[in-house]
Amino acid sequence: MSTDRLNIDGHTRIFGLIGNPVGHTMSPVIHNTLAAYYGHNLIYGAFPVADDPVKAVEGAYALGIGGLNVTVPHKSAVIPALVETDDFAFKIGAVNTLVRMDEKGGYKGYNTDMPGLYRAMCQEDITIAGETVVILGAGGAARAVAMMTASKGAVRVSVLNRTVSKAEAIVKEITALYPDCQMCAGSIYDLHDLPEEKFLCIQATSTGMSPHADQAVIEDGAFYERIHTGFDLVYNPYDTKFMQLVRQAGGKAYNGLNMLLYQGVVAYELWNDMQVGEEAVSLVRRRLKEEMGL
Ligand code: ATR
């Protein structure tokens, strides 16, 4: 055990994550690594909040907590507790980052998941503007991805889901906001109506997450022939079945670890009013991989 004293004093700013459960979270690795790298006097912990996230947010503000991340199942439920919500987060209907605004007497909510995904894609030179995109899933994550891709200028977005009515609801809602993007809904069981050109496919279902690493939401090899780039939001396992199928068919495949990393980086930037550099990002990536035993 290290005998080094943590440099916590009366000026240390306290940040953290609220959600349920929070035991598995890797966010403390991201934020405490960045704080150590930049010499910022702050610590980041995890607060399990089972019920009443609104009370938790109000209590956090009263205690002087500098900012919070919010995870499942409270990303929408905390919104009524905020003094302001960023426009894009409001459209998505989910916030994952709360920034303290003393002048307004509360927190402003942001969604850094989608900027995080966008930055992770930019880092791999994956473009969205002008692109044809197929999104697998129609839950909260898929809905946000559909919003992000439409807002970044994708020309065509198809949303495929097990429950088609949920995909249809997303398409209807996002078409109203971004009419220039051609959107359509479909079933993961009927792949006859796919775009003609090769596409970017974003896997936004929970299928294939550990311990179900041997599963992919679509197994049909012909589907994977159509993908030039596959991006799985799942990062555990590190190499998902979806990614393996994309690669076997000749496409490039990425997991969700960089999205996790950059959603944290964007939150850290909002809390500290700064830009995090690539050297610090690389250090955090190494720490996250160590944490995952990679
Ligand atoms: P999140 O907030 O992470 O998006 P969610 O809202 O529960 O989580 O959505 C989970 C997504 O994974 C949904 O698209 C779900 O399909 P349904 O809408 O039909 O439920 C999809 N999903 C989960 N398990 C699946 C499975 N075994 N096969 C196909 N799709 C699955």
Side-chain angles (χ1 to χ4, degrees):
M1 201 171 99
S2 165
T3 52
D4 288 351
R5 192 176 65 86
L6 283 174
N7 289 318
I8 297 171
D9 59 21
H11 299 286
T12 303
R13 292 188 301 145
I14 300 174
F15 292 77
L17 170 74
I18 61 169
N20 188 35
V22 291
H24 62 285
T25 180
M26 299 221 267
S27 290
V29 174
I30 300 175
H31 296 288
N32 292 319
T33 300
L34 289 172
Y37 179 88
Y38 286 109
H40 291 155
N41 187 5
L42 70 84
I43 56 163
Y44 184 104
F47 303 104
V49 173
D51 313 306
D52 215 338
V54 167
K55 234 186 220 166
V57 169
E58 288 166 359
Y61 187 79
L63 283 170
I65 301 290
L68 290 169
N69 280 139
V70 184
T71 189
V72 177
H74 303 317
K75 287 186 180 190
S76 302
V78 296
I79 293 177
L82 306 176
V83 289
E84 223 175 290
T85 305
D86 167 72
D87 275 352
F88 194 66
F90 188 76
K91 279 185 185 159
I92 292 173
V95 298
N96 77 325
T97 300
L98 310 188
V99 177
R100 189 178 180 89
M101 301 184 88
D102 283 317
E103 66 286 7
K104 299 218 166 155
Y107 294 103
K108 177 171 179 179
Y110 293 85
N111 185 307
T112 71
D113 288 328
M114 288 308 107
L117 173 61
Y118 185 65
R119 243 157 100 169
M121 289 187 156
C122 290
Q123 208 233 347
E124 304 292 356
D125 290 328
I126 300 170
T127 41
I128 291 178
E131 184 59 84
T132 297
V133 182
V134 171
I135 296 168
L136 304 181
R143 188 173 162 282
V145 171
M147 192 83 76
M148 188 276 277
T149 49
S151 77
K152 293 291 182 190
V155 286
R156 264 179 295 281
V157 175
S158 303
V159 182
L160 307 183
N161 197 39
R162 176 174 62 179
T163 312
V164 178
S165 58
K166 285 167 70 181
E168 286 168 346
I170 290 177
V171 166
K172 188 171 171 205
E173 187 190 357
I174 296 179
T175 302
L177 291 170
Y178 300 99
D180 291 343
C181 180
Q182 286 175 39
M183 297 198 65
C184 70
S187 165
I188 54 166
Y189 303 119
D190 177 7
L191 303 170
H192 293 103
D193 205 16
L194 291 173
E196 279 176 15
E197 61 276 30
K198 282 203 164 189
F199 49 78
L200 164 66
C201 183
I202 303 174
Q203 198 305 106
T205 76
S206 44
T207 320
M209 270 182 199
S210 183
H212 305 290
D214 58 334
Q215 296 177 6
V217 65
I218 293 174
E219 305 255 352
D220 180 352
F223 174 72
Y224 291 90
E225 301 280 335
R226 315 293 302 283
I227 300 175
H228 64 71
T229 306
F231 202 107
D232 200 333
L233 302 197
V234 173
Y235 56 85
N236 185 15
Y238 194 70
D239 191 29
T240 65
K241 177 87 184 286
F242 168 82
M243 292 165 62
Q244 291 166 20
L245 290 166
V246 169
R247 276 201 312 271
Q248 279 162 22
K252 287 187 176 169
Y254 303 91
N255 67 20
L257 191 70
N258 275 335
M259 172 182 167
L260 169 78
L261 193 167
Y262 280 110
Q263 65 72 32
V265 164
V266 177
Y268 195 90
E269 290 177 344
L270 285 167
W271 289 331
N272 294 289
D273 197 15
M274 61 172 298
Q275 287 287 306
V276 171
E278 278 310 308
E279 189 180 288
V281 169
S282 298
L283 174 64
V284 176
R285 189 179 293 112
R286 277 206 302 282
R287 292 271 163 85
L288 286 173
K289 287 171 93 167
E290 276 166 27
E291 194 72 13
M292 293 172 72
L294 297 164

